């Protein structure tokens, strides 16, 4: 193959270099102990650091800078200066960089996935799936930025001509979560950079390494200094950094994925400078199985929707609503599938299908929800307690005879617990499903086409899966209704979050 060469990097280790730009490395080589600002790897001004722990073993993976408000203010100034140049680049130029970034992510997929598993805990196969999904946003937005068309508006006055153009909004401040430490960065930053914006991003304190690894590959792809800046910090500095991003007048846009409670704080803080805000917040997804459903297909959908990433996704099925005619059969089939398919363990073990929860706080929350449900009459079909291996592991759990008054129904579980509720009629199911302030994802299974139309239109959610447990795609919109958020990500609409409309009127034509 043209351009292929082999060289020895260290004794006993081969590094393969293809086309002089695509490098194959180890997960350790992607693990940076510095933040990334203005194209440089830097420490915190205070020199402080904090440790990042492997949620599977509890061992330290290393440390990264514990930056504060002064550090992020510097990063904002850098991004603002870089924006003055980056906004003038041609969409075609941005496309080339994003496409190269995409290629580099794919070329290093396995090592990036291993790093992701080490800091997040999800099984390696899931991590590789996230890498493919995440890289897809770089490719998609790289293509979409060449289609940011405007309009010629028919003028009501003979002497005037009116047109509408789209221009990048400016510096985008971003805060990303730990459950998708790669894809949430690319879905946000990929769109902003494609639109001509610059980025200051704080990744979750639990999973900073995947974001920093993306910076390394972005630089190799030719992204100029200052366009992408990643500041790391421990939990204690998260609030001050978020406040600076929201209130700094040089930041024009905020994008946040995380809890509803934090999202409300950021929204309030952004009001002082009237920023454009995108929020992807908590969910409480109903998963409805009607009597007409194919039970086997519904079980497959429930397994993929509920137990992916140990139930730690905002679109996970949270409330399993099953119509009384098939309730017992579905519960039996789902319990059997959980026992047969879920193998809890370290994510690097190829046999593992469910990793740990992210930390001890998450473990105690999930355990508390299950204990509350059982104390009120819920029946444990499978699991129901912390895993015998200890640490942050929790058993894949199925609860039956759950009522709508239990905490496990009212709160977002964010863990491997399926809580099943019996219902009688379609109207009852829709009423239960919509009786929440959340409105992100929803799912239902039916073989009745008329019912499929009725229910999909009546569910008050931004995402609806009909006979399908996984609905997210790079090409489609992703956003919540009600208190699950503002704005949208992905698809052709995701780029619009980083663009402003400008009306230009030319006079004196005749």
């Amino acid at each position: 193959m043209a351009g292929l060469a082999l060289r020895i990097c260290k004794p006993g280790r081969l590094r393969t270099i293809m086309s002089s730009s695509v490098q194959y490395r180890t997960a350790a080589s992607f693990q940076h102990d510095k933040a990334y600002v203005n194209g440089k790897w830097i420490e915190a001004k205070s020199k402080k650091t904090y440790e990042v722990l492997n949620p599977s073993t509890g061992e330290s993976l290393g440390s990264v800078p514990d930056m504060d408000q002064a550090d992020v203010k510097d990063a904002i100034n850098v991004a603002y200066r870089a924006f003055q140049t980056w906004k003038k680049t041609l969409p075609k130029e941005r496309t080339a960089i994003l496409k190269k970034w995409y290629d580099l992510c794919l070329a290093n997929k396995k090592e990036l996935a291993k790093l992701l598993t080490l800091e997040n805990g999800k099984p390696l196969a899931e991590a590789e799936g996230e890498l493919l999904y995440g890289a897809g946003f770089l490719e998609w937005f790289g293509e979409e930025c060449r289609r940011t068309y405007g309009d010629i508006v028919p003028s009501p006055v003979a002497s005037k001509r009116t047109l509408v153009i789209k221009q990048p909004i400016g510096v985008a401040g971003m805060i990303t979560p730990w459950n998708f430490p790669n894809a949430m960065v690319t879905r946000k930053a990929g769109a902003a950079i494609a639109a001509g914006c610059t980025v200051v991003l704080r990744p979750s304190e639990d999973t900073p390494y995947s974001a920093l690894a993306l910076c390394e590959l972005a630089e190799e792809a030719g992204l100029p200094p200052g366009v992408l800046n990643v500041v790391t910090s421990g939990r204690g500095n998260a609030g001050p950094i978020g406040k600076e991003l929201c209130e700094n007048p040089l930041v024009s846009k905020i994008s946040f994925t995380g809890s509803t409670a934090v999202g409300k704080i950021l929204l309030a803080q952004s009001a002082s400078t009237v920023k454009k805000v995108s929020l992807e917040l908590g969910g409480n997804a109903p998963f409805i199985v009607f009597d007409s459903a194919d039970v086997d297909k519904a079980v497959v959908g429930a397994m993929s929707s509920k137990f992916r990433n140990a139930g730690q996704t905002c679109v996970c099925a949270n409330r399993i609503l099953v119509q009384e005619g098939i309730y017992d059969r579905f519960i039996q089939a789902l319990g059997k599938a959980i026992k047969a398919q879920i193998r809890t363990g370290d994510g690097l073990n190829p046999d593992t299908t469910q990793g740990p929860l992210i930390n001890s706080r998450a473990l105690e929350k999930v355990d508390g929800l299950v204990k509350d449900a059982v104390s009120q009459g819920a029946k444990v079909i499978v699991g129901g307690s912390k895993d015998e291996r200890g640490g942050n592991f929790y058993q894949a759990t199925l609860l039956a005879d759950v009522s709508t008054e239990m905490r496990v129904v009212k709160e977002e579980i964010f863990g491997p617990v399926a809580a099943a509720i019996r219902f009688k009629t379609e109207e009852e199911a829709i009423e239960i499903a919509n009786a929440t302030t959340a409105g992100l994802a929803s799912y239902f299974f039916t073989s009745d086409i008329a019912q499929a139309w009725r229910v999909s239109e009546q569910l008050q959610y931004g995402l609806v899966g009909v006979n399908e447990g996984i609905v997210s795609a790079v090409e489609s919109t992703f956003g919540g209704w009600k208190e699950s958020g503002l704005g949208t990500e992905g698809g052709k609409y995701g780029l619009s979050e980083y663009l402003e409309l400008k009306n230009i009127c030319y006079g004196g034509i005749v």
Side-chain angles (χ1 to χ4, degrees):
M1 183 181 295
L4 180 64
L6 296 177
R7 65 177 180 176
I8 300 296
C9 296
K10 291 183 179 180
R13 181 182 297 174
L14 279 176
R15 175 169 289 184
T16 307
I17 306 221
M18 185 178 294
S19 302
S20 73
S21 62
V22 180
Q23 299 184 350
Y24 295 84
R25 290 158 283 209
T26 65
S29 72
F30 280 113
Q31 186 174 318
H32 294 279
D33 61 358
K34 301 289 191 298
Y36 186 78
V37 176
N38 201 25
K40 299 175 183 177
W41 299 100
I42 65 170
E43 299 177 324
K45 287 178 178 293
S46 66
K47 307 296 182 183
K48 292 181 180 178
T49 63
Y50 75 94
E51 285 191 314
V52 181
L53 303 180
N54 182 330
S56 180
T57 65
E59 297 175 352
S60 174
L61 294 172
S63 62
V64 294
D66 188 4
M67 292 180 145
D68 58 22
Q69 200 163 355
D71 292 296
V72 77
K73 188 177 294 186
D74 284 352
I76 291 169
N77 290 335
V78 164
Y80 185 76
R81 290 194 298 270
F83 175 64
Q84 309 313 313
T85 302
W86 183 247
K87 67 182 180 181
K88 298 175 184 177
T89 57
L90 298 175
K92 185 176 181 179
E93 295 172 321
R94 296 179 219 142
T95 295
I97 292 172
L98 286 162
K99 180 61 168 64
K100 191 172 182 181
W101 194 4
Y102 163 79
D103 289 338
L104 286 164
C105 288
L106 292 190
N108 294 283
K109 176 187 68 175
K110 290 189 178 298
E111 297 308 322
L112 291 171
K114 184 177 179 181
L115 180 63
L116 194 158
T117 292
L118 286 169
E119 64 176 347
N120 169 277
K122 67 176 60 176
L124 199 54
E126 282 192 29
E128 289 192 20
E130 180 182 338
L131 261 295
L132 291 173
Y133 179 57
F137 286 110
L138 301 178
E139 180 186 43
W140 172 261
F141 286 122
E143 294 167 345
E144 280 297 292
C145 74
R146 300 183 71 177
R147 293 186 263 282
T148 52
Y149 307 129
D151 291 291
I152 300 297
V153 181
S155 175
V157 180
S159 63
K160 298 180 180 179
R161 297 293 183 271
T162 300
L163 60 119
V164 176
I165 65 172
K166 298 176 182 178
Q167 291 184 301
I169 192 168
V171 177
M174 301 179 173
I175 301 174
T176 55
W178 52 263
N179 57 344
F180 288 92
N182 175 280
M184 293 304 94
V185 174
T186 58
R187 190 162 77 182
K188 295 176 185 294
I193 290 168
C197 298
T198 55
V199 172
V200 178
L201 184 147
R202 180 199 178 266
S204 167
E205 66 273 11
D206 293 308
T207 56
Y209 290 127
S210 290
L212 295 171
L214 282 167
C215 293
E216 177 180 336
L217 295 181
E219 183 177 313
E220 288 184 29
L223 196 67
V227 175
L228 174 62
N229 306 278
V230 171
V231 294
T232 59
S233 85
R235 194 175 186 85
N237 278 321
I241 285 177
K243 189 173 188 293
E244 182 65 35
L245 289 172
C246 291
E247 296 183 354
N248 192 303
L250 299 185
V251 177
S252 300
K253 161 79 181 181
I254 292 292
S255 179
F256 169 75
T257 295
S259 73
T260 300
V262 173
K264 289 179 178 180
I265 293 171
L266 298 176
L267 182 60
Q269 291 174 342
S270 297
S272 64
T273 51
V274 196
K275 283 180 174 47
K276 189 174 184 179
V277 177
S278 299
L279 302 173
E280 195 266 282
L281 307 177
N284 192 356
F287 186 100
I288 308 170
V289 187
F290 290 104
D291 280 344
S292 67
D294 181 317
V295 171
D296 292 336
K297 290 182 179 178
V299 168
V300 171
M303 291 296 293
S304 60
S305 177
K306 173 70 260 185
F307 295 103
R308 184 165 55 107
N309 196 18
Q312 299 174 111
T313 85
C314 52
V315 295
C316 274
N318 209 62
R319 299 166 290 158
I320 313 293
L321 312 178
V322 187
Q323 200 159 10
E324 59 183 1
I326 60 167
Y327 184 86
D328 292 335
R329 185 155 62 100
F330 178 83
I331 293 298
Q332 182 180 14
L334 182 57
K336 184 178 179 180
I338 292 171
K339 291 178 181 178
Q341 297 176 29
I342 302 296
R343 296 180 298 278
T344 302
D346 188 287
L348 295 180
N349 185 330
D351 294 329
T352 294
T353 61
Q354 178 179 293
L357 298 184
I358 190 64
N359 53 41
S360 60
R361 296 188 304 276
L363 182 76
E364 294 305 325
K365 176 191 174 184
V366 171
D367 192 47
L369 291 174
V370 172
K371 287 178 177 176
D372 174 78
V374 172
S375 72
Q376 296 187 60
K379 182 181 179 181
V380 176
I381 305 300
V382 180
S385 63
K386 298 176 183 178
D387 193 88
E388 61 184 11
R389 72 184 59 243
N392 297 323
F393 292 95
Y394 199 86
Q395 294 176 346
T397 297
L398 173 59
L399 301 177
D401 300 334
V402 171
S403 75
T404 56
E405 298 305 312
M406 297 175 183
R407 286 178 55 209
V408 77
V409 170
K410 294 181 178 181
E411 300 178 27
E412 186 175 22
I413 301 169
F414 238 64
V417 178
I421 304 168
R422 190 192 305 262
F423 71 89
K424 292 183 179 181
T425 66
E426 177 183 311
E427 293 73 20
E428 181 187 6
I430 293 172
E431 182 179 357
I432 294 172
N434 288 339
T436 174
T437 58
L440 185 55
S442 59
Y443 312 86
F444 69 92
F445 279 71
T446 180
S447 294
D448 183 337
I449 187 64
Q451 184 176 58
W453 278 106
R454 288 195 306 271
V455 176
S456 60
E457 291 179 353
Q458 291 182 69
L459 288 171
Q460 298 167 1
Y461 293 83
L463 304 169
V464 180
V466 185
N467 296 326
E468 178 56 60
I470 297 179
V471 299
S472 302
V474 168
E475 297 82 1
S476 185
T477 182
F478 188 103
W481 289 17
K482 297 190 280 188
E483 291 189 15
S484 282
L486 299 171
T488 189
E489 295 183 327
K492 68 177 184 179
Y493 306 104
L495 207 63
S496 298
E497 296 290 336
Y498 301 93
L499 295 168
E500 291 278 40
L501 297 177
K502 179 179 285 184
N503 180 327
I504 301 176
C505 178
Y506 291 91
I509 303 299
V510 294

